[in-house]
């Protein structure tokens, strides 16, 4: 399963604190050695300001009771920075958190800054310090505080680059808090901003889209509308191009989203074309299932890949809860294609390919024919369709 684990590929496009949930998930699976996961956690958090938590992990990793002196020094430095930034932003935070002031702010950021400066002595330097304070809160693991501060900064700042950075920070905070409704809205706003911004070069915009696609995994597979959202986003020409050129492994998630969403069954022909185009760069049992079924019409191989898909999905943090949905719907697609090109089907042979027991398979096939109104009938005496 380590061969199919996408964590190593995804880490380059995720903030390090977003990688941590992936490592936490893997620690519950038998994909890597526990000590390797623990070592990765310590290395991951060592450059953050989460000193106390990193220290506890360090003790577990090395089997010690006392931490090196560097941990105490870093802790003092973090506390000092927090206190300093908190003091620098105290006045502007008190002002913008006042309901009357918040209600007087408009869409025009320059006008807002003038109001704050003229009426409340809040300078542009104070606004900039909000960004620094929000980033520091995030680094310390205070995601609620970070989300609030970075939102205030985004509303006030006229610096497009820092505002975009703050939007990324707020999205990460909402993801780590599990606020999926807010995160979904933030994701759509960020997508709109990336698509409309004139970046210095197309490469910069491509990188932004790569990050967006990777970060969106957390939201799409935890939000009720997520499986529609991923199809709507990933199938856009600019994002299909991004996947094909920079991150073909994300095709796994698009395949699962389409197959598990029966309302999007009309997207299957287009999905098959995309899978064909990407297979020379990336393949796994999920994409190979589509290839075997729709490109090669190799039902034995499709059945083999479908069985492998269960393990692949179960060991993927974003897909582990979609295993049953995927298998059920993949069986439907399998049976649909299989029945379309056969006049007479041996029931035992079909149920075996679907990795189902004989009695279970017979009931499933009867239900399939009834629900889909397929032009077929079951001959129980001959055990055939």
């Amino acid at each position: 399963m380590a061969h199919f684990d996408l964590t190593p590929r995804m880490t380059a496009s995720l903030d390090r604190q977003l990688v941590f949930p992936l490592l936490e998930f893997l620690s519950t699976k038998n994909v890597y050695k526990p000590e390797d996961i623990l070592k990765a956690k310590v290395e991951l958090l060592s450059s953050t300001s989460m000193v106390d938590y990193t220290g506890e992990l360090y003790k577990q990793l090395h089997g010690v009771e006392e931490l090196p002196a560097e941990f105490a020094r870093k802790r003092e430095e973090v506390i000092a920075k927090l206190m300093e930034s908190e003091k620098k932003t105290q006045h502007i935070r008190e002002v913008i958190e006042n309901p009357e002031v918040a209600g007087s702010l408009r869409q025009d950021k320059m006008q807002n800054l003038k109001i704050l400066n003229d009426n409340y002595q809040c300078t542009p330097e104070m606004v900039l310090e909000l960004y620094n304070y929000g980033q520091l809160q995030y680094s310390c693991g205070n995601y609620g505080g970070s989300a609030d501060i970075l939102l205030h900064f985004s509303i006030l700042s006229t610096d497009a680059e820092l505002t975009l950075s703050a939007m990324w920070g707020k999205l990460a905070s909402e993801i780590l808090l599990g606020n999926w409704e807010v995160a979904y809205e933030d994701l759509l706003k960020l997508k709109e901003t990336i698509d409309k911004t004139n970046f210095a070069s197309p490469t910069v915009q491509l990188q932004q889209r790569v990050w967006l696609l990777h970060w969106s995994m957390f939201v799409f597979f935890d939000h009720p509308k997520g499986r529609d959202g991923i199809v709507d986003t990933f199938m856009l020409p600019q994002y299909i191009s991004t996947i094909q050129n920079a991150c073909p492994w994300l095709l796994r998630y698009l395949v699962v989203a389409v197959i598990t969403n029966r309302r999007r069954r009309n997207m299957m022909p287009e999905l098959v074309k995309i899978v064909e185009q990407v297979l020379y760069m990336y393949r796994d049992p999920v994409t190979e299932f589509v290839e075997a079924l729709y490109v090669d019409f190799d039902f034995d191989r499709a059945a083999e890949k479908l069985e492998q898909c269960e393990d692949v999905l179960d060991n993927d943090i974003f897909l582990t809860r979609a295993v049953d949905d995927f298998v059920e719907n993949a069986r439907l697609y399998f049976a649909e294609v299989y029945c379309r090109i056969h006049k007479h089907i041996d029931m035992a042979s079909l149920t075996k390919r679907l990795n189902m027991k004989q009695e279970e398979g017979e009931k499933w096939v009867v239900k399939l024919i009834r629900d889909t109104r397929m032009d077929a009938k079951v001959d129980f005496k001959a055990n055939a369709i």
Side-chain angles (χ1 to χ4, degrees):
M1 281 298 104
H3 177 67
F4 298 119
D5 176 38
L6 295 182
T7 303
R9 294 175 183 254
M10 299 189 75
T11 50
S13 300
L14 294 175
D15 178 84
R16 62 183 53 248
Q17 277 159 270
L18 287 179
V19 176
F20 194 81
L22 274 63
L23 297 180
E24 284 280 81
F25 173 79
L26 288 174
S27 66
T28 67
K29 303 292 181 178
N30 295 318
V31 179
Y32 301 103
K33 295 178 181 178
E35 55 269 28
D36 290 341
I37 295 289
L38 189 55
K39 183 180 179 182
K41 288 180 180 179
V42 173
E43 290 177 354
L44 188 73
L45 298 181
S46 60
S47 60
T48 71
S49 298
M50 299 170 68
V51 185
D52 291 342
Y53 187 44
T54 308
E56 291 302 314
L57 294 176
Y58 182 94
K59 289 179 183 178
Q60 292 179 38
L61 178 63
H62 296 281
V64 297
E65 292 295 328
E66 296 293 327
L67 290 171
E70 64 190 75
F71 278 86
R73 286 197 299 271
K74 185 174 181 179
R75 191 175 192 276
E76 290 176 3
E77 290 173 4
V78 170
I79 292 174
K81 285 180 181 178
L82 272 172
M83 292 179 67
E84 181 184 6
S85 191
E86 186 175 357
K87 185 176 180 181
K88 286 182 178 179
T89 59
Q90 182 176 353
H91 174 64
I92 190 170
R93 283 188 290 114
E94 288 175 349
V95 171
I96 59 181
E97 287 169 6
N98 183 322
E100 290 185 9
V101 176
S104 66
L105 298 179
R106 299 291 180 264
Q107 291 289 332
D108 188 337
K109 290 188 175 185
M110 294 300 296
Q111 183 64 24
N112 290 338
L113 289 176
K114 188 176 187 306
I115 291 172
L116 290 175
N117 192 37
D118 292 349
N119 299 342
Y120 304 99
Q121 294 74 54
C122 292
T123 65
E125 289 75 21
M126 291 181 182
V127 174
L128 178 60
E129 191 57 41
L130 280 177
Y131 175 82
N132 298 330
Y133 187 48
Q135 293 290 80
L136 187 55
Q137 291 278 8
Y138 179 80
S139 185
C140 291
N142 180 13
Y143 305 121
S146 173
D148 290 342
I149 297 298
L150 292 175
L151 174 60
H152 289 313
F153 173 80
S154 299
I155 293 171
L156 297 174
S157 176
T158 57
D159 187 317
E161 188 174 340
L162 284 183
T163 299
L164 182 60
S165 177
M167 291 175 73
W168 281 110
K170 183 175 183 299
L171 174 60
S173 297
E174 301 295 358
I175 288 171
L176 290 164
L177 288 167
N179 292 337
W180 304 122
E181 288 291 342
V182 179
Y184 193 86
E185 293 175 9
D186 287 351
L187 184 71
L188 296 180
K189 290 176 185 175
L190 191 53
K191 174 183 170 295
E192 183 180 3
T193 300
I194 292 170
D195 289 343
K196 288 183 176 180
T197 299
N198 291 319
F199 291 96
S201 73
T203 305
V204 177
Q205 188 173 51
L206 175 66
Q207 184 61 70
Q208 292 282 326
R209 284 176 174 154
V210 169
W211 291 341
L212 184 79
L213 291 174
H214 283 79
W215 291 37
S216 72
M217 293 297 95
F218 292 93
V219 183
F220 284 144
F221 285 101
D222 275 290
H223 191 278
K225 298 179 181 177
R227 292 184 194 178
D228 285 321
I230 190 173
V231 175
D232 292 338
T233 300
F234 279 41
M235 280 296 201
L236 291 171
Q238 63 268 37
Y239 287 97
I240 283 294
S241 176
T242 301
I243 292 171
Q244 291 172 329
N245 290 301
C247 45
W249 50 88
L250 292 184
L251 192 56
R252 173 190 294 182
Y253 302 103
L254 178 58
V255 170
V256 172
V258 172
I259 287 180
T260 57
N261 192 338
R262 295 291 288 177
R263 291 171 300 180
R264 299 305 183 96
R265 59 181 291 111
N266 62 309
M267 305 296 292
M268 185 57 75
E270 182 64 24
L271 179 67
V272 174
K273 291 179 184 177
I274 296 167
V275 168
E276 280 191 276
Q277 293 167 357
V278 172
L279 278 170
Y280 78 97
M281 292 186 291
Y282 173 80
R283 57 176 58 237
D284 65 24
V286 177
T287 59
E288 288 176 328
F289 168 75
V290 174
E291 177 194 32
L293 185 61
Y294 284 98
V295 180
D296 299 332
F297 296 98
D298 186 337
F299 297 106
D300 288 334
R301 183 164 171 264
E304 176 191 344
K305 293 303 173 183
L306 178 55
E307 192 171 352
Q308 292 175 8
C309 284
E310 293 189 51
D311 287 332
V312 172
L313 268 63
D314 189 48
N315 285 280
D316 187 309
I317 183 174
F318 304 116
L319 303 176
T320 187
R321 285 168 294 174
V323 175
D324 292 341
D325 271 356
F326 179 83
V327 171
E328 174 65 18
N329 283 285
R331 283 172 173 167
L332 290 171
Y333 280 111
F334 184 103
E336 186 179 74
V337 176
Y338 195 80
C339 291
R340 190 182 299 149
I341 63 174
H342 289 84
K343 284 188 175 181
H344 184 278
I345 300 168
D346 179 66
M347 183 83 79
S349 176
L350 177 59
T351 55
K352 183 179 179 182
R353 284 189 167 100
L354 294 173
N355 194 28
M356 301 172 78
K357 293 179 181 178
Q358 181 72 19
E359 185 178 348
E360 176 194 9
E362 289 177 1
K363 291 179 180 178
W364 186 87
V365 168
V366 170
K367 185 176 185 299
L368 171 67
I369 293 172
R370 183 182 67 244
D371 291 350
T372 61
R373 297 181 181 179
M374 189 183 295
D375 184 17
K377 61 183 178 180
V378 178
D379 184 342
F380 288 103
K381 188 174 181 180
N383 196 32
I385 305 169

